[in-house]
């Protein structure tokens, strides 16, 4: 497989070529929650399966799910090291501090962490460019929003989530200039099916045309939209089976593309710490589950825009972009760099919510 040119943030630190017992790379893989049918943990595990299928007998993987933050995670990491792990993949933001401490203690170990903001020798982080698919799904939402009313259920007011919300609204406004006053419910949770459903019901009762479920960890909101005849947009996974008639669009993540690059680098002695930010161009993200209710012209427009992102000729965060206070957020002709995207702290014009101080 050809090595992808992944965008990297922070200084790179190359490790010496390791020696693997019996030429097999031993990998530990920790997922924070039970593996569901869609969502974060499902996609982490699907990425692991893609990685194993790609490398076959050249790797040996010990995978454990339902390992949350705290002492259990620490014990599991240490156990994997004691059992000979050469690499450990960590799936929760709460695994970050223990993971970087583990890397410091074990000079031959590579630790790869999903998300996070710390980097260090033998410790790397990665994140997909979710905002790219959010823009494309926003286009789909703008096309079908007859009343120009959109609703978003968002997990936490973190830069990654804010970036996805912003890109979604910008995408919608690019095809429907009437989009404004986008309603937002903050869950302040990654996984809460009951509150996810009640938030969906509240937004639907307010007359929205499209519901965007942003990092829910559960298909509850998507199912609720289907039950109420409202279009739904999903994060991370194609949720079409939970909304067979009203699934509008999903941002489909492919973590396996990222994992394969890390393993190739480790095998070749080229593992680098730092932060990988991979998107459509690298095969880590794509739009999926587009509704057949979209016209052929609308579907073509969305896929064409995706191709422009893949080619690097279009960036959702290129100015002029105005925030929801009327101030200039991104100047005309300027594109936000990785640092600007990863530290995003403004809401675009059209979002009817505020960020905590």
């Amino acid at each position: 497989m050809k090595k992808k040119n992944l965008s990297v943030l922070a200084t790179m630190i190359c490790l010496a070529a390791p020696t693997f017992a019996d030429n097999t790379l031993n990998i530990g893989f920790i997922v924070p929650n039970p593996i569901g049918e869609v969502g974060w943990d499902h996609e982490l595990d699907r990425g692991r399966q893609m990685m194993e299928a790609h490398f076959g007998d050249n790797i040996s993987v010990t995978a454990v799910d339902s390992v949350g933050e705290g002492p259990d995670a620490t014990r599991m990491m240490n156990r994997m090291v004691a059992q000979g792990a050469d690499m450990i993949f960590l799936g929760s933001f709460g695994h970050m501090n223990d993971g970087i401490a583990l890397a410091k203690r074990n000079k031959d170990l590579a630790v790869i962490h999903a998300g996070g903001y710390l980097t260090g020798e033998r410790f790397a982080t990665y994140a997909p460019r979710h905002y790219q698919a959010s823009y494309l799904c926003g286009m789909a939402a703008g096309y079908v929003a007859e009343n120009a009313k959109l609703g978003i259920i968002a997990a936490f007011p973190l830069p990654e989530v804010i970036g996805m919300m912003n890109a979604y609204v910008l995408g919608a406004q690019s095809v429907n200039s009437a989009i404004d006053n986008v309603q937002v419910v903050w869950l302040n949770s990654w996984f809460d099916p009951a509150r996810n459903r009640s938030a969906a019901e509240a937004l639907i009762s307010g007359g929205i045309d499209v519901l965007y479920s942003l990092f829910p960890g559960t298909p509850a909101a998507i199912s609720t939209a289907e039950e109420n005849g409202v279009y739904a947009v999903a994060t991370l996974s194609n949720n079409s089976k939970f909304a067979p008639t009203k699934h509008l669009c999903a941002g489909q993540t492919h973590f396996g593309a990222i994992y394969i690059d890390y393993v190739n680098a480790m095998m070749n002695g080229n593992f680098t710490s730092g932060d990988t930010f991979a998107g459509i161009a690298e095969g880590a993200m794509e739009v999926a589950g587009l509704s057949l209710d979209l016209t052929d012209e609308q579907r073509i427009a969305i896929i064409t825009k995706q191709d422009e992102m893949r080619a690097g000729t279009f960036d959702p965060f290129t100015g002029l972009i105005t925030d929801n206070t009327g101030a200039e957020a991104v100047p005309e002709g300027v594109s936000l760099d990785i640092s600007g995207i990863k530290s995003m702290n403004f809401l675009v014009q059209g979002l009817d919510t505020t960020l905590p101080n």
Side-chain angles (χ1 to χ4, degrees), residues 135-158:
Y135 185 95
L136 300 171
C137 287
M139 291 176 65
Y143 283 134
V144 302
E146 295 182 358
N147 300 310
K149 291 185 177 182
L150 305 182
I152 300 174
I153 303 173
F156 288 96
L158 299 173

Side-chain angles (χ1 to χ4, degrees), residues 30-35 40-41 44 64-69 90-93 95:
I30 298 176
V31 174
N33 302 300
I35 307 300
W40 181 256
D41 302 279
L44 290 175
V64 183
D65 63 47
S66 304
V67 182
E69 306 171 10
L90 303 174
S92 171
F93 185 85
H95 295 159

Side-chain angles (χ1 to χ4, degrees), residues 12 21 31 108 136 174 195 233 242 256 316 325 347:
M12 299 293 94
V31 174
D108 295 323
L136 300 171
S174 74
R195 290 181 59 217
V233 171
F242 297 105
T325 71
L347 298 166

Side-chain angles (χ1 to χ4, degrees), residues 211-259:
L211 176 71
Y212 185 16
S213 184
L214 206 165
F215 280 144
T218 167
I222 304 298
S223 298
T224 303
E226 173 74 13
E227 293 163 7
N228 288 272
V230 172
Y231 286 110
V233 171
T235 313
L236 291 165
S237 307
N238 187 336
N239 278 239
S240 294
K241 64 182 175 181
F242 297 105
T245 69
K246 287 299 180 180
H247 189 280
L248 181 64
C249 179
Q252 177 64 63
T253 304
H254 299 295
F255 286 119
I258 299 172
Y259 299 162

Side-chain angles (χ1 to χ4, degrees), residues 73-104:
T74 305
R75 284 192 289 269
M76 183 56 65
M77 293 178 207
N78 288 330
R79 182 182 304 171
M80 288 178 168
V81 171
Q83 292 174 346
D86 303 300
M87 303 181 76
I88 293 180
F89 287 85
L90 303 174
S92 171
F93 185 85
H95 295 159
M96 180 178 62
N97 290 330
D98 284 341
I100 199 167
L102 188 75
K104 288 179 180 179

Side-chain angles (χ1 to χ4, degrees), residues 3 22 44 73 86 95 99 109 154 161 193 221 261 271 274 306 344:
K3 181 107 169 70
D22 301 322
L44 290 175
D86 303 300
H95 295 159
L109 178 70
V161 175
D261 277 300
F271 176 82
Q306 177 171 258
M344 193 171 292

